Amino acid sequence: MKVIIVSLSLIFSLNSMASCYDLLTYEPPYDSKSFFINEALSSVDAEDLNPSSATRILKNLLSIQVGCSEKSTSNLKVEASCSELRPGRSWSKVCFIESNLGYFTVQMNMMEGAHVIFNRWD
């Protein structure tokens, strides 16, 4: 009985992640896609962008704009790193996030919010 429950949980988990992936690559099949999330949803200033805040921005984007389930965003596996493209200029900071869905770049603009670019894995 436990094996059946664990198996069903795994299948539903994979299906929720697949549906999130499907939402990102929705018709026509997209290899990459850009998004904008406003400051009210990201709650991050350009100077405060770091791996943790970039991951939070990504999860907000996936749940609010893309429509991924809360379960799929909470199960999302990510590795994030951030760096300034022009050292000493905090507004040039970009974060790179690898996930099981694909990889993302996150960059804040100075006034309105964050730009997120999704690229699927080949």
Side-chain angles (χ1 to χ4, degrees):
M1 183 65 163
K2 287 182 182 180
V3 173
I4 293 172
I5 292 172
V6 170
S7 298
L8 287 174
S9 296
L10 180 61
I11 289 169
F12 288 129
S13 172
L14 292 174
N15 282 343
S16 68
M17 192 58 70
S19 65
C20 190
Y21 180 79
D22 291 342
L23 290 169
L24 280 167
T25 58
Y26 188 68
E27 295 179 23
Y30 290 107
D31 292 331
S32 64
K33 197 184 256 188
S34 64
F35 299 92
F36 178 78
I37 187 164
N38 71 36
E39 189 174 355
L41 298 175
S42 66
S43 303
V44 177
D45 290 329
E47 290 94 21
D48 298 332
L49 188 62
N50 60 50
S52 175
S53 61
T55 301
R56 189 170 66 245
I57 289 168
L58 176 59
K59 288 184 177 185
N60 282 345
L61 172 87
L62 291 174
S63 65
I64 296 167
Q65 287 189 10
V66 177
C68 299
S69 70
E70 184 179 328
K71 186 175 184 176
S72 65
T73 57
S74 64
N75 290 337
L76 187 67
K77 306 282 189 257
V78 298
E79 268 187 52
S81 63
C82 302
S83 62
E84 292 176 353
L85 296 177
R86 299 276 318 258
R89 295 196 166 70
S90 61
W91 58 88
S92 73
K93 191 177 288 184
V94 176
C95 295
F96 181 78
I97 302 174
E98 292 182 79
S99 79
N100 42 342
L101 294 173
Y103 60 96
F104 299 82
T105 56
V106 178
Q107 181 184 16
M108 302 297 296
N109 69 10
M110 298 299 282
M111 310 268 297
E112 298 172 19
H115 297 276
V116 180
I117 298 174
F118 161 74
N119 295 279
R120 71 175 183 88
W121 296 116
D122 279 338

